[in-house]
Amino acid sequence: MKCSKAHKLISPYIDSELPESEMNALEGHIKDCFKCRKELEEGRELQNLLSMADIHKAPYGFNTRVMANLSPEKADKSSRFAVLAGLAEATAVIMVIAFGILSGSLVIKGAQPDRATDVIASLSLDVFDSAPPGSLGGVYLAMTEVRNEK
Ligand SMILES: [Zn+2]
């Protein structure tokens, strides 16, 4: 047997998955080949480590029991905190917007007192006409308005 063939058989050999003929052939090779014997030993060590890791596997239902034993007070507090944090964030955003509008109007008031009312008026949506007065749409709107008034 060549080392390349032995290399492929070592893992199934450790797992006892080889037919007896191949098992015997591999054992014969390993007796004479130091390199493959070492590989087999390393494979067995790895298998031992993995089987030890299996021992530490969490028992069935472990997760459910841990979650059930968590104190309900803690869970309640944390959810309340999340709501408060959300409220604080929303309040901060509103304050920033309000401060921006107020400071903007104050700055404009200070610089050009006569234009302050224009700026405040521009904050309302009435400024945005659906169509400018001189345009075709504006003429159409003016005609329909007159018709609606009749
Ligand atoms: Zn070999």
Side-chain angles (χ1 to χ4, degrees), residues 1-4 6-7 29-30 33-37:
M1 186 185 279
K2 285 183 180 174
C3 285
S4 58
H7 173 77
H29 176 83
I30 279 169
C33 179
F34 174 75
K35 196 185 123 197
C36 290
R37 194 162 55 232

Side-chain angles (χ1 to χ4, degrees), residues 30-102:
I30 279 169
K31 266 184 202 164
D32 302 328
C33 179
F34 174 75
K35 196 185 123 197
C36 290
R37 194 162 55 232
K38 200 173 178 212
E39 198 180 322
L40 176 65
E41 281 166 15
E42 284 171 358
R44 279 190 172 140
E45 274 176 38
L46 185 66
Q47 201 202 25
N48 278 342
L49 284 173
L50 290 174
S51 66
M52 279 163 74
D54 249 356
I55 292 166
H56 298 290
K57 218 172 166 183
Y60 179 78
F62 177 77
N63 187 41
T64 313
R65 272 177 285 156
V66 169
M67 294 313 281
N69 285 325
L70 280 178
S71 75
E73 286 168 26
K74 270 187 186 171
D76 195 38
K77 267 182 195 166
S78 65
S79 70
R80 255 187 232 156
F81 179 75
V83 169
L84 281 177
L87 273 177
E89 201 174 301
T91 309
V93 169
I94 289 166
M95 281 174 72
V96 165
I97 292 169
F99 180 76
I101 291 170
L102 285 174

